[in-house]
Amino acid sequence: PEAAGLLNLQLHTVHHMIDRGELAAEVTYPTGRPRTRRRIRIRRQEVNACIERSRVKPGDLRHLHPETSDPYR
């Protein structure tokens, strides 16, 4: 839940990112204790790297707003 909050994403989105290999995580399964959930650990450096990879640089979104030939715009 903490990584999801830092990335401003839903928890299931973070799980999908882990499944797709976009976010590295360590998954451990408890032994000897039934009804205990798996534990997913994501290192802070992985979260920070994910944030850096998703940053948009100035000018990268120009293709979304093409120049028009309309002089009144």
Side-chain angles (χ1 to χ4, degrees), residues 1-54:
E2 184 178 343
L6 292 170
L7 293 168
N8 199 25
L9 297 171
Q10 295 292 321
L11 187 57
H12 68 271
T13 303
V14 173
H15 288 172
H16 288 296
M17 291 175 72
I18 293 168
D19 287 340
R20 291 189 305 256
E22 297 172 14
L23 190 60
E26 301 168 20
V27 181
T28 57
Y29 296 91
T31 56
R33 294 167 74 192
R35 302 180 192 264
T36 304
R37 294 182 175 185
R38 67 182 178 183
R39 179 171 291 197
I40 301 172
R41 299 184 94 169
I42 304 170
R43 297 190 185 279
R44 180 64 65 114
Q45 65 191 31
E46 291 295 334
V47 173
N48 291 341
C50 183
I51 292 169
E52 287 302 316
R53 285 191 305 269
S54 66

